Amino acid sequence: MSEQQNASVVGSKSFTAVAINCAAKAGEWIKTKLGNYASLDIKYSSHDLVTEVDKGSEKLIRSLVLTHFPTHSFLGEEGVEPGPEASVQALADVREAEYLWIVDPIDGTTNFVHGFPFFCVSIALAYKGEVIVGVVYDPMKDELFVAEKGKGAYVHGKRMQVSGEETLRGSLVATGFPADHHYALPMNLKGVAAIAPQVRNLRVAGSAALHMAYVAAGRLSGFWEIGLNSWDLAAGALLIAESGGVVTDTSGEPYHLGVRNVVASNGKLQDELIGALAKAGAIG
Ligand code: IPD
Ligand code: CA
Ligand code: CA
């Protein structure tokens, strides 16, 4: 048994069981707060929102994780100053940790605030910089997406498999409209203008982590976005890899925790999607 496998069960609680428990508990609580949050604050820009529910969800997850694994490191969105520079620095500060939990307590806060039922809790565990557990939970649909490195990815207990489309023309692709309107949004809009006419259709539903989970489940053929953070992507990247798909940066380099400009797909579309973004000058 490897060092990492040996350490993955502590006091009979596996890393994955803790991740699932955290996501389920936080998700259930978030659901009770839909249409019922008390405070809405602006973070980096008027497009970047946070509520007490985001903060409470992260607190709950953090304390559960650290109760089980007190020596592990923890990177959660709400523990980091707003804005791209602070996010990059926060990851750099903990990236070398042996065990690092990477958490987005609500991915899709704008949707949560407006009562648009498309948001999730995203929890990943990295071992020496490599994601080994990824859990995305959508409390509105009660859908739990779970992946363990080398053991596949599952939703509703059923193994996931990416879709089979071979070209952009027959594909359903998603992207996002980032909160950073200085750099990431204009870059992504260039991509939207280039990709929308080439695909069957485009979806922009407001949760990067859930879009990634949908690529893993074969519900979307691909996804890209400029200017994301480690907590948006870490869990979804493992879900896709374990479902037979491919995740890279917009230059085609393999996914790692520092990737901010992401392209994810069933694998068959990866080169065409990256090529189309590059041609449009939209790779960031
Ligand atoms: C956002 C969502 C959104 C994406 C933004 C993210 P948040 O995360 O994933 O879909 O377009 O770039 O910041 O702020 O809701 O956690
Ligand atoms: Ca997010
Ligand atoms: Ca968030």
Side-chain angles (χ1 to χ4, degrees), residues 99-235:
Y99 286 100
L100 174 63
W101 292 79
I102 304 166
V103 171
D104 193 334
I106 302 180
D107 185 57
T109 298
T110 305
N111 287 344
F112 170 74
V113 163
H114 287 265
F116 184 93
F118 194 83
F119 49 83
C120 65
V121 178
S122 176
I123 300 178
L125 173 63
Y127 174 72
K128 296 186 175 170
E130 196 183 353
V131 183
I132 57 169
V133 176
V135 171
V136 168
Y137 181 54
D138 169 355
M140 301 310 292
K141 295 187 79 180
D142 190 22
E143 282 199 316
L144 183 72
F145 303 85
V146 183
E148 282 184 79
K149 187 159 176 56
K151 295 189 184 166
Y154 295 81
V155 62
H156 299 299
K158 247 189 87 191
R159 186 112 189 213
M160 293 196 288
Q161 177 68 46
V162 292
S163 65
E165 298 82 34
E166 306 225 339
T167 60
L168 283 181
R169 188 176 299 281
S171 293
L172 185 63
V173 172
T175 186
F177 294 135
D180 167 13
H181 284 201
H182 299 287
Y183 174 73
L185 180 68
M187 190 59 71
N188 227 56
L189 287 174
K190 272 206 247 179
V192 168
I195 300 299
Q198 299 190 46
V199 290
R200 178 167 286 161
N201 218 319
L202 199 59
R203 295 288 176 263
V204 186
S207 166
L210 213 39
H211 281 140
M212 295 279 282
Y214 276 32
V215 172
R219 299 171 187 174
L220 286 169
S221 325
F223 169 73
W224 93 92
E225 189 169 338
I226 301 296
L228 290 170
N229 290 303
S230 54
W231 46 78
D232 300 308
L233 293 174

Side-chain angles (χ1 to χ4, degrees), residues 24-103:
K25 281 215 165 77
E28 284 312 307
W29 180 68
I30 291 165
K31 197 173 153 186
T32 67
K33 293 285 177 181
L34 191 67
N36 187 26
Y37 63 87
S39 80
L40 177 61
D41 290 321
I42 304 297
K43 287 166 80 179
Y44 180 65
S45 74
S46 59
H47 309 276
D48 192 9
L49 309 178
V50 64
T51 69
E52 86 283 5
V53 186
D54 299 74
K55 294 174 189 165
S57 169
E58 182 160 318
K59 203 171 156 199
L60 186 158
I61 296 165
R62 187 189 190 105
S63 70
L64 259 174
V65 164
L66 295 180
T67 299
H68 287 287
F69 309 115
T71 61
H72 288 192
S73 298
F74 190 95
L75 175 64
E77 179 178 16
E78 307 312 335
V80 174
E81 289 297 311
E85 291 79 17
S87 302
V88 169
Q89 187 56 49
L91 175 64
D93 290 346
V94 287
R95 200 171 171 165
E96 300 305 321
E98 188 179 28
Y99 286 100
L100 174 63
W101 292 79
I102 304 166
V103 171

